[in-house]
């Protein structure tokens, strides 16, 4: 009886093994291998979801140089004094504990024929599917007089962490009545309301600490995200403090001199105390190295975020050219879940659900004065296409604005848990 029972179990197990016999993947490896480059809003989410939902069926490696990820989202609230820097930092420990092989290094090369990623520290990491979510880099020569070697004198603070801290330190050191300048970026760029939330939070800080200080914004665009809401808020909370110089007034004709700390707008030279340069952007360099970009961004198929150039390479978040979604953390996280599902389906036969995407971007204008814009999207053959959207209205009550801010707090807690576990 015992022997029969043992035999039964044995033969059943053998049959199950035969049925589930995995495909043999690259270089004879039995388990499929997914490599994710970039542990931010897109990459950390994709790595976590693939590892969690495949329950050990897929080897997942995440390549990310930094040991702590400092979110850009809410970094403006840190500038405004509403959040501390520690509120923005997240480690990769829980991802590692939950089965993601976290490698702290830079990806410096992609061999699409051999299907390997090479690392700055040496060594090659093989993949069956490669997901790139490297965020943004800056377009060389976008602002005359500025390049990355000037980022300490004139910070961009458009990647999280030390740059954000530097900008805050410079704001705190401004003389009373000094001038804070911002050079805003052309479209498309990371976080459409980001520069204008930053102006609001800088004004919030200066109003309390340096009330006679001025803010100049040179903008190459005639209009910007949530413009009416921001302008209403600036007039209400920071009257006379902010001078926004749009395209019509020469806002796009800008050069800077980091050594002299001057900004020249449409021929007029101004001495400034702090200068925040947010240059034109492009996909993080590794996407270009992998050969999946066309111009500044990486075109992708909306149904699964695979690139147009290579069906085994996917690009998420800011680096992708996907259609109607803004370049935001919410969007990258949403795209990552669609991609993770598609990658699991391709590698293990797991059920693939139709792609659906959503986004909301909240901005804080003054303490408890929050506004938002958002939409839902679907995949079409051409792009991620907007289905419907919403935006806060001007003239809303203080209670509604406070509730909107509180909603953003909930979103921040939710998305960071969704990324890092
Ligand atoms: C001031 C500001 C405010 C913002 N506010 C909001 C907001 O309120 N809501 C919102 O949704 N979004 C907001 N965003 C936008 C949001 O931060 C980005 O859209 C989002 O982080 C994009 O995710 P990503 O995965 O594409 O890139 P990231 O999150 O930037 O992640 C990229 C990661 O890739 C790594 N990396 C790059 N190159 C390599 C390489 N070669 N090898 C290995 N790793 C590499 C980087 O170290 C980085 O960790 C804001 C942005 C800014 C600047």
């Amino acid at each position: 009886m015992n022997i029969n029972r043992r035999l039964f179990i044995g033969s059943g197990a053998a049959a199950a093994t035969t049925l589930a016999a995995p495909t043999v993947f690259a270089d004879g490896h039995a388990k499929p291998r997914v490599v994710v480059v970039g542990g931010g809003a897109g990459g950390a989410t994709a790595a976590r979801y693939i590892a969690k939902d495949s329950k050990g069926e897929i080897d997942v490696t995440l390549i990310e140089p930094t040991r702590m990820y400092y979110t850009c989202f809410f970094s403006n609230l840190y500038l405004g004094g509403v959040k501390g820097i520690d509120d923005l930092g997240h480690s990769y420990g829980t991802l590692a504990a939950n089965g993601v092989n976290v490698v702290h290094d830079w990806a410096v090369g992609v061999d699409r024929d051999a299907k390997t990623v090479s690392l700055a520290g040496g060594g090659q990491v093989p993949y069956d599917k490669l997901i790139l979510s490297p965020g943004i880099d800056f377009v060389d020569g976008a602002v005359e007089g500025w390049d990355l070697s000037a980022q300490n004198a004139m910070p961009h603070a458009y990647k999280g962490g030390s740059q954000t801290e530097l900008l805050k330190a410079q704001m705190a050191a401004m003389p009373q009545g000094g001038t804070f300048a911002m050079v805003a970026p052309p479209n498309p760029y990371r976080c459409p309301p980001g520069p204008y939330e930053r102006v609001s939070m800088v004004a919030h800080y200066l109003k309390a600490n340096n009330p006679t200080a001025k803010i100049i914004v040179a903008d190459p665009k005639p209009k910007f995200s949530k413009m009416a809401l921001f302008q209403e808020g600036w007039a209400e909370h920071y009257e006379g403090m902010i001078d926004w110089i749009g395209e019509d007034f020469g806002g796009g004709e800008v050069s800077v001199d980091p050594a002299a700390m001057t900004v020249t707008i449409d021929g007029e030279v101004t001495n400034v105390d702090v200068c925040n340069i947010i240059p034109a952007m492009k996909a993080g360099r590794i996407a270009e190295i992998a050969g999946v970009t066309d111009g500044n961004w990486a075109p992708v198929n909306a149904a699964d975020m695979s690139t147009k150039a290579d069906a085994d390479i996917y690009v998420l978040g800011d680096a992708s050219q996907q259609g109607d979604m803004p370049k935001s953390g919410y969007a990258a996280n949403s795209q990552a879940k669609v991609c993770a599902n598609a990658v699991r389906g391709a590698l293990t036969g797991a059920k693939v659900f139709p792609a659906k995407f959503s986004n909301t971007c909240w901005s804080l204008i003054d303490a408890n004065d929050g506004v938002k814009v958002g939409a839902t999207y679907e995949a079409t053959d051409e792009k991620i296409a907007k289905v419907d959207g919403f935006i806060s209205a001007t003239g809303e009550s203080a209670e509604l604005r406070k509730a909107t801010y509180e909603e953003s707090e909930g979103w921040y807690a939710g998305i960071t848990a969704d990324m890092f576990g």
Side-chain angles (χ1 to χ4, degrees):
M1 184 65 182
N2 275 348
I3 290 169
N4 285 346
R5 176 85 182 136
R6 229 178 278 142
L7 278 174
F8 176 69
I9 291 168
S11 58
T17 307
T18 312
L19 279 175
T23 318
V24 175
F25 290 93
D27 66 22
H29 192 73
K31 257 196 204 182
R33 288 182 284 211
V34 172
V35 172
V36 182
V37 173
T45 308
R48 176 168 174 265
Y49 269 78
I50 294 170
K52 173 172 80 64
D53 294 341
S54 70
K55 300 185 169 49
E57 276 188 77
I58 299 176
D59 276 349
V60 183
T61 298
L62 175 64
I63 302 168
E64 163 61 50
T66 66
R67 280 164 172 72
M68 288 290 278
Y69 175 82
Y70 286 89
T71 59
C72 285
F73 23 108
F74 275 24
S75 65
N76 290 326
L77 278 61
Y78 160 70
L79 296 177
V82 179
K83 296 282 170 198
I85 195 72
D86 292 341
D87 297 329
L88 309 181
H90 304 270
S91 84
Y92 294 91
T94 309
L95 277 185
N98 287 300
V100 176
N101 176 28
V102 181
V103 175
H104 288 301
D105 205 340
W106 286 97
V108 291
V110 175
D111 184 331
R112 280 164 49 183
D113 296 325
K115 290 190 148 187
T116 56
V117 176
S118 48
L119 303 179
Q124 314 281 324
V125 188
Y127 67 85
D128 296 293
K129 297 284 190 186
L130 173 62
I131 299 173
L132 303 177
S133 194
I136 48 116
D137 273 314
F138 302 114
V139 174
D140 289 338
V143 176
E144 195 186 327
W146 189 93
D147 63 21
L148 270 189
S149 69
Q151 69 176 353
N152 275 9
M154 294 187 169
H156 54 79
Y158 233 62
K159 297 186 183 190
S162 56
Q163 274 279 303
T164 322
E165 288 186 280
L166 175 63
L167 186 61
K168 177 77 183 269
Q170 291 184 350
M171 279 164 59
M174 269 173 68
Q176 290 295 312
T179 302
F180 178 106
M182 172 190 281
V183 178
N187 292 319
Y189 62 94
R190 157 174 283 183
C191 194
Y196 311 99
E197 180 185 56
R198 178 170 291 173
V199 167
S200 309
M201 287 292 96
V202 170
H204 177 76
Y205 174 88
L206 293 175
K207 188 175 164 185
N209 296 285
N210 190 346
T212 54
K214 292 273 176 280
I215 300 171
I216 302 172
V217 187
D219 205 325
K221 305 181 294 295
K223 59 186 171 66
F224 55 83
S225 173
K226 294 187 253 189
M227 185 166 178
L229 293 165
F230 280 116
Q231 290 190 329
E232 177 192 60
W234 295 348
E236 182 185 341
H237 303 296
Y238 315 116
E239 215 211 323
M241 193 177 233
I242 301 164
D243 184 9
W244 178 77
I245 304 165
E247 190 196 35
D248 289 351
F249 305 98
E253 300 300 313
V254 177
S255 65
V256 296
D257 183 339
M261 285 302 286
T262 57
V263 178
T264 304
I265 302 171
D266 205 17
E268 192 179 323
V269 183
T270 306
N271 291 309
V272 298
D273 300 289
V274 179
C275 189
N276 175 209
I277 305 285
I278 310 178
M281 295 170 207
K282 61 180 182 178
R285 173 104 175 94
I286 192 69
E288 199 180 319
I289 290 170
V292 296
T293 50
D294 181 7
N296 284 342
W297 309 103
V300 295
N301 299 301
D304 62 358
M305 304 301 291
S306 61
T307 61
K308 303 271 189 194
D310 186 323
D312 290 323
I313 302 184
Y314 301 72
V315 174
L316 304 178
D318 293 355
S320 70
Q321 181 183 306
Q322 38 68 25
D324 296 347
M325 295 189 90
K327 295 184 185 300
S328 77
Y330 196 132
N333 170 267
S334 180
Q335 293 160 14
K337 292 180 202 172
V338 168
C339 175
N341 181 232
V343 165
R344 278 199 310 117
L347 294 175
T348 67
K351 185 171 167 50
V352 178
F353 298 94
K356 294 227 179 309
F357 306 88
S358 55
N359 179 65
T360 304
C361 284
W362 288 267
S363 303
L364 194 59
I365 300 179
D366 192 16
N368 289 316
D369 187 354
V371 292
K372 62 181 175 180
V373 59
T376 58
Y377 306 83
E378 64 184 10
T380 67
D381 289 344
E382 293 83 49
K383 61 175 183 174
I384 297 180
K386 184 172 171 182
V387 177
D388 55 20
F390 56 87
I391 184 166
S392 298
T394 51
E396 285 174 344
S397 69
E399 290 72 34
L400 179 53
R401 292 294 177 86
K402 184 166 186 285
T404 303
Y405 170 60
E406 285 164 358
E407 199 178 83
S408 74
E409 291 258 22
W411 165 77
Y412 186 90
I415 189 175
T416 49
D418 211 35
M419 290 165 62
F420 299 106

